[in-house]
Amino acid sequence: MNTSRTPSPPATLLALGLLLAAGSTAARAQDPTCRAFNEEVQGVWDRLRPASEQELRRQAALQIGPLVREPKLEVDLKALRRVDLSIARAPGLTRFADAGLALRVPAAGAWEVAVEGDVEVRFRALWRWNTVRLPVRVEVSELVVAADAAFDWSDPTRPRVARVGTPEVKFKVRLRSPGHVLTDVLLRALSPLGNLIARKAAAKALDALAPQLDALRATLPGPIHAEGAPLLADSGATTPVGAIVAGVDRKLRAQHLPHGTIHPLHMDAPATTTWEQAYGPGGSGNPGLATPHGDGGDSSAFNAHYVAAQAYRHALTGDPEALEQVRRCLVAFGDMLALHGETGLMARSAAPEASHMGRVILAQAPKAKVVRGVRRGEVWVATNGEKGDSRDVYIEIVWGLSVVHDLVPEPGVRAEAARILTSMVGYLVREGWVIDEDRAPFDPANPATSTLPSFWLGVPTQKVAMLHAAARLDPARFAGELQRWSPLTRMAWLSQWTGTFGLDDYFGFILAHATYHLHLRHETDAARWRDTQRAYQIMRRYVGHHRNAYFDAIHLSIDPADVRYRGAIREALVRFVQRPHRKVAPATFDPNAIRWVDVTLPSGGYSPTGAVGPVTLRLPEVPLSPEQRAPEDDTIWQRAPFKPYAGPGQGDAYTESTGLDLIGPYWIGRYHGVQFP
């Protein structure tokens, strides 16, 4: 694979940070959007700052050595005794508008840093070098960094960076020598020289940053690969998709939800048959004995997609089996809350301790992160995994429960869905939208064991969507919190736009579709709807041509008038059922039928190197047809449509996929008018 990356990662991280929080001339520091954003930043800052300050002090102690090298002056740090940090005020916005942004560090006031240690000073005077060793206290006060960026909106669904301003740094340096009167007087006199040297160093660093900032302006947001690729055309094939879905629904009910949450399966017999051959009329089924596959880390999140599909199924058909499955999932969500003491913290996976999945949890989860409790007369175990709940656990489950509440009329089901949903959102409100109790503490000094909290800073669409859903169910409890954070929707476009720089975190687009579906269908505030809809259009511009049946079915639910997607969804599932139901490529797969091109994207992210900055990838020229795509445990729609099977017959013929990628788009699509054979 061919990769080329520029600018350098540190410069790019700094520049992206500036873009994510900066402003124009249209808003004031007390603008509601600035206030809400800065409040978010301060909340996260207060959680991370204590450990970060300890690490800064530790790193400072390692900086023994040269400090200044000038033609007539050299300064070396020989010992460091103390570092004082006054950085309690977080960075934040000073202005915000569509045309641009401005960032200030800190958002108000200034930072101060003081360092005490011993320095050795060598200076040239009277034609010779002189050396003195001094105890010194260096005080940096009135430290402020400011930067700004501007945007070009000539294309309303693909804004561009018009300008990235060079950061401006202001500070004062004061030199002292505590306990040495004459030396202290001398150093105070030299403080202006220290200011001059420090400012020259800062200016040099900023000058070096300028080319990277210019490159950032030139590259963002980057191209949309394969934009203009046509939607799949309805072939008119009579493949019995409905009958195949019925078979998959039966399989899911019988095998994949041993304790009410969904799992892929490991089978003791191989299979290479397609979904149609296995689950269509007269199909061979799923041969072998089944055990849950994997550690269950995504079980609760994917259960949300399953329960949503069953809610659509029940709303469309009235099938009592669908209602039974909805109830089964609600019991499982209730179990995972109860095992955490009904605080609103949701487990990722839970099972009876004596079950296969219970043994997996005990074997693979950190012992300190396993909780126990009694459910229906059995001892159960639950875990949030090594790194705790991520944002997807909450947004996906809240979305799935909201769908259930909307579509299933049975009062008991609606009440339980509302109880779990409001409990989860209430937990986030109570914890300040930061989850850190279910993981190792944040400790930058020990990165191997350190875990960042999960927080919603920079993800305004999820935060407001969940509050909106909770406020619909319990306005007395959540309407005030929704009002508090509603100004963040003005930033929704920025958050979504930065998510379209590359294909690295493609799963985020599943979360985004769930988020917009959760919010847009019920929003009655015109300003919030407009801001969220604009972000949605930016996202759909990036993925609307990806031949992704699940995304397109959810889009059809948000915008039922966009009927051009009906035929595309139908055709995608007609082709999908020609895939093997195990994680193995068909023997007939032809990799030579795929035409490849080189594409340079501004963000590499998780694929292929983890690098930050532009990366050149070799990708299929157009989004792959569903029957060509690499397999997944739960759903192929969570991966970018540019990764094919490895080769004919290659893969794992023993791992049975769940089939969520078939039943989800099928039931949502049918509910919104897609006709299947």
Side-chain angles (χ1 to χ4, degrees):
M1 184 176 327
N2 226 352
T3 62
S4 62
R5 296 184 298 278
T6 171
S8 66
T12 305
L13 283 172
L14 173 61
L16 283 175
L18 299 177
L19 284 178
L20 284 171
S24 85
T25 59
R28 303 294 180 221
Q30 296 306 312
D31 170 85
T33 301
C34 295
R35 175 204 57 76
F37 180 77
N38 292 350
E39 189 176 346
E40 276 197 311
V41 176
Q42 188 68 57
V44 175
W45 188 260
D46 290 342
R47 295 285 187 110
L48 302 184
R49 180 172 53 82
S52 298
E53 286 187 357
Q54 291 181 8
E55 176 62 5
L56 285 171
R57 291 186 176 94
R58 190 185 73 84
Q59 290 291 337
L62 301 177
Q63 305 306 309
I64 305 300
L67 294 179
V68 177
R69 287 294 183 266
E70 295 288 328
K72 295 185 178 182
L73 176 67
E74 296 180 353
V75 181
D76 288 348
L77 178 64
K78 293 298 185 180
L80 184 67
R81 289 187 297 276
R82 179 174 176 175
V83 178
D84 295 328
L85 300 170
S86 180
I87 57 172
R89 292 180 172 179
L93 292 168
T94 55
R95 297 189 303 273
F96 182 85
D98 291 348
L101 343 113
L103 166 73
R104 190 177 188 274
V105 183
W111 284 353
E112 294 184 0
V113 178
V115 178
E116 287 187 13
D118 294 335
V119 298
E120 184 177 89
V121 181
R122 295 181 297 280
F123 59 95
R124 190 172 178 82
L126 300 177
W127 303 284
R128 68 186 182 90
W129 284 91
N130 302 273
T131 301
V132 295
R133 184 161 177 155
L134 305 169
V136 172
R137 178 178 173 87
V138 181
E139 299 172 352
V140 181
S141 62
E142 301 179 34
L143 175 60
V144 174
V145 181
D148 68 294
F151 297 98
D152 174 1
W153 282 88
S154 54
D155 183 343
T157 58
R158 197 67 176 162
R160 301 190 61 83
V161 177
R163 179 182 56 80
V164 180
T166 301
E168 180 183 4
V169 182
K170 295 181 179 180
F171 56 86
K172 289 184 178 179
V173 176
R174 183 185 183 198
L175 306 177
R176 298 188 58 192
S177 184
H180 296 73
V181 177
L182 292 178
T183 304
D184 192 40
V185 171
L186 174 63
L187 288 180
R188 287 173 186 254
L190 289 175
S191 288
L193 177 60
N195 266 304
L196 177 62
I197 293 172
R199 285 176 179 150
K200 284 175 63 177
K204 184 176 180 180
L206 293 175
D207 287 344
L209 183 62
Q212 280 75 26
L213 295 177
D214 288 341
L216 193 67
R217 177 192 58 76
T219 57
L220 294 180
I224 298 177
H225 177 52
E227 185 173 25
L231 301 179
L232 294 177
D234 187 352
S235 63
T238 58
T239 307
V241 175
I244 299 166
V245 167
V248 173
D249 270 326
R250 287 192 294 270
K251 176 197 73 143
L252 277 159
R253 183 176 69 253
Q255 294 186 300
H256 286 272
L257 288 89
H259 313 294
T261 55
I262 196 165
H263 298 274
L265 300 174
H266 175 77
M267 309 303 298
D268 68 355
T272 58
T273 49
T274 67
W275 291 98
E276 181 178 12
Q277 291 166 340
Y279 301 109
S284 56
N286 186 28
L289 296 176
T291 53
H293 169 70
D295 63 3
D298 291 325
S299 182
S300 61
F302 277 119
N303 221 45
H305 296 273
Y306 178 70
V307 79
Q310 295 307 299
Y312 271 103
R313 175 187 172 194
H314 180 69
L316 184 68
T317 68
D319 190 331
E321 288 186 351
L323 181 59
E324 175 197 342
Q325 291 305 96
V326 169
R327 287 180 172 137
R328 189 177 178 187
C329 291
L330 291 179
V331 169
F333 287 134
D335 288 340
M336 289 186 285
L337 282 184
L339 289 165
H340 275 301
E342 297 288 0
T343 63
L345 180 65
M346 177 61 69
R348 281 183 170 270
S349 183
E353 184 172 15
S355 69
H356 173 87
M357 201 62 226
R359 293 193 296 273
V360 169
I361 290 172
L362 292 174
Q364 298 192 17
K367 291 183 179 179
K369 300 306 175 185
V370 174
V371 295
R372 283 180 169 84
V374 177
R375 305 301 295 160
R376 296 174 293 282
E378 282 187 289
V379 176
W380 278 51
V381 290
T383 182
N384 288 26
E386 184 178 357
K387 296 185 178 180
D389 277 351
S390 55
R391 289 189 297 262
D392 55 314
V393 170
Y394 273 75
I395 186 59
E396 289 176 284
I397 294 175
V398 168
W399 169 71
L401 294 171
S402 180
V403 170
V404 168
H405 189 273
D406 289 348
L407 296 182
V408 179
E410 203 276 325
V413 167
R414 298 182 82 235
E416 181 64 358
R419 182 191 74 83
I420 298 170
L421 189 158
T422 54
S423 177
M424 293 177 68
V425 178
Y427 172 82
L428 295 178
V429 172
R430 190 170 62 252
E431 296 298 319
W433 294 88
V434 177
I435 305 176
D436 58 8
E437 67 173 279
D438 59 352
R439 64 203 71 197
F442 173 64
D443 181 8
N446 296 288
T449 59
S450 174
T451 309
L452 271 173
S454 294
F455 45 79
W456 272 259
L457 172 63
V459 196
T461 49
Q462 286 190 19
K463 188 173 190 174
V464 175
M466 287 192 284
L467 282 171
H468 189 272
R472 287 175 52 226
L473 302 175
D474 190 346
R477 185 178 176 190
F478 294 103
E481 191 75 5
L482 174 61
Q483 187 66 26
R484 175 188 179 190
W485 297 113
S486 284
L488 291 175
T489 58
R490 285 184 60 207
M491 302 185 71
W493 74 266
L494 179 61
S495 174
Q496 188 60 73
W497 176 74
T498 58
T500 65
F501 292 172
L503 299 164
D504 40 316
D505 192 13
Y506 197 81
F507 182 78
F509 293 117
I510 278 191
L511 309 184
H513 279 82
T515 300
Y516 293 120
H517 186 266
L518 178 65
H519 190 183
L520 287 171
R521 294 174 307 119
H522 297 293
E523 181 58 83
T524 58
D525 181 278
R528 283 199 303 255
W529 185 91
R530 182 179 62 249
D531 290 337
T532 306
Q533 175 71 9
R534 178 170 61 168
Y536 178 66
Q537 292 299 329
I538 288 173
M539 187 264 292
R540 285 298 297 177
R541 167 82 178 271
Y542 195 71
V543 302
H545 61 288
H546 281 184
R547 301 170 179 175
N548 188 308
Y550 197 40
F551 292 0
D552 295 345
I554 294 175
H555 169 68
L556 200 57
S557 181
I558 295 171
D559 185 5
D562 199 356
V563 296
R564 63 198 173 108
Y565 280 98
R566 288 182 180 175
I569 296 167
R570 182 187 190 278
E571 182 64 22
L573 295 192
V574 164
R575 299 186 186 192
F576 176 92
V577 297
Q578 306 311 314
R579 299 171 54 85
H581 54 100
R582 300 282 175 87
K583 291 181 65 176
V584 62
T588 57
F589 171 67
D590 181 9
N592 295 319
I594 300 171
R595 182 176 176 182
W596 297 79
V597 294
D598 289 337
V599 181
T600 299
L601 301 173
S603 175
Y606 303 107
S607 173
T609 63
V612 177
V615 57
T616 297
L617 306 176
R618 192 154 181 81
L619 300 175
E621 185 177 33
V622 297
L624 295 170
S625 185
E627 76 277 10
Q628 297 176 308
R629 301 185 190 186
E632 289 287 333
D633 288 344
D634 293 287
T635 173
I636 65 169
W637 311 123
Q638 68 176 314
R639 302 301 179 208
F642 302 108
K643 182 180 179 181
Y645 285 112
Q650 294 189 29
D652 179 3
Y654 290 86
T655 298
E656 173 77 5
S657 299
T658 61
L660 271 179
D661 34 16
L662 176 60
I663 69 165
Y666 176 83
W667 288 115
I668 298 174
R670 265 197 64 185
Y671 186 88
H672 291 286
V674 180
Q675 299 296 316
F676 291 98

